[in-house]
Amino acid sequence: MTENPLAHRLDYTLAELDDDALSASPLALLQTWLTDAADLPEPNAMVVSTVDGEGRPTSRTVLLRGVDDDGALWFFTNRDSRKGQALVGNPSVSILFPWYALQRQVIVLGTATPLPAERDDAYFASRPRGSQLSAWASHQSQPVASRAALEEQMAEVSARFGDDAVVPRPPHWGGYRVEPREIEFWQGRPSRLHDRIVFSQDGAAGEWVGMRRQP
């Protein structure tokens, strides 16, 4: 008999996050955890949550595409999309890395700013051609009559660029740099007595300060 998914219960025993982590660099720890997740499906997938001008929160999964020397996280999208429009009025974001197989998650609170055009161009040029064409074909977040209509838009774009060696970046497509102000590391532990280590930036010194939170 199939188990009721609402009754599923798993005790978390894979790892722990001891008090020594409080003195660690959160940016180095995040990089370590990203490396630990490398063999998982979509290890760089992250849920980005925004709030629009009417106070409506939305979340969606995007892919982490870079971490710069200051620890800022990069992702790319259609800036005319729902998330892009929300970020115009409210650049605050929450990012969640859900590494369920490792019984871990990381939450990053920060502020998103557009990446410069040269960064957008460089990353767009590295994308597979099909993904480049999709960026032109899809009016992200807008209604479409049917799957067939969406595929027709793709066919029109493919015909427009034909055998052109280079597909230019759409003007509405680009990246964001999320500068963290708080990073929480969560490690599942037995009996739901989980580990939560949170790092916040000291506004005066600009240094990271760690503390443990109760689960």
Side-chain angles (χ1 to χ4, degrees):
M1 182 176 179
T2 303
E3 180 185 5
N4 177 359
L6 301 182
H8 179 74
R9 189 174 298 275
L10 176 68
D11 215 15
Y12 301 140
T13 60
L14 290 183
E16 61 185 42
L17 194 55
D18 61 30
D19 291 341
D20 289 344
L22 290 168
S23 59
S25 161
L27 305 179
L29 184 56
L30 176 59
Q31 189 60 60
T32 296
W33 279 28
L34 281 164
T35 301
D36 290 346
D39 292 332
L40 301 180
E42 301 285 23
N44 56 332
M46 59 187 193
V47 179
V48 175
S49 300
T50 57
V51 178
D52 68 16
E54 298 181 13
R56 295 176 300 186
T58 56
S59 300
R60 74 288 289 166
T61 301
V62 302
L63 298 179
L64 174 67
R65 287 307 189 192
V67 181
D68 63 29
D69 291 341
D70 296 325
L73 312 180
W74 299 2
F75 68 92
F76 293 85
T77 188
N78 183 323
R79 291 194 176 122
D80 290 340
S81 66
R82 189 172 184 178
K83 73 178 90 54
Q85 291 301 308
L87 290 172
V88 171
N90 184 353
S92 293
V93 300
S94 173
I95 290 175
L96 168 68
F97 291 93
W99 295 312
Y100 304 122
L102 299 179
Q103 300 172 3
R104 284 177 174 172
Q105 69 178 20
V106 173
I107 299 174
V108 178
L109 304 182
T111 303
T113 55
L115 285 168
E118 58 268 22
R119 295 285 190 183
D120 296 338
D121 290 339
Y123 179 70
F124 189 81
S126 74
R127 302 184 87 203
R129 186 178 181 86
S131 297
Q132 293 176 334
L133 295 174
S134 291
W136 281 98
S138 173
H139 308 298
Q140 194 175 110
S141 301
Q142 297 302 309
V144 66
S146 63
R147 176 71 194 189
L150 182 62
E151 291 179 353
E152 183 177 344
Q153 290 173 196
M154 182 66 161
E156 291 172 355
V157 166
S158 298
R160 186 198 319 169
F161 289 106
D163 296 327
D164 292 354
V166 176
V167 177
R169 176 178 62 86
H172 55 265
W173 190 98
Y176 291 91
R177 178 183 185 272
V178 178
E179 185 173 356
R181 59 176 180 269
E182 181 178 295
I183 306 176
E184 175 178 319
F185 296 86
W186 182 99
Q187 178 68 61
R189 297 293 301 275
S191 302
R192 299 300 187 262
L193 203 64
H194 309 306
D195 288 324
R196 294 176 65 189
I197 299 293
V198 182
F199 294 89
S200 301
Q201 280 200 314
D202 183 318
E207 297 178 351
W208 290 100
V209 178
M211 69 174 174
R212 181 178 288 273
R213 283 185 182 162
Q214 299 182 53

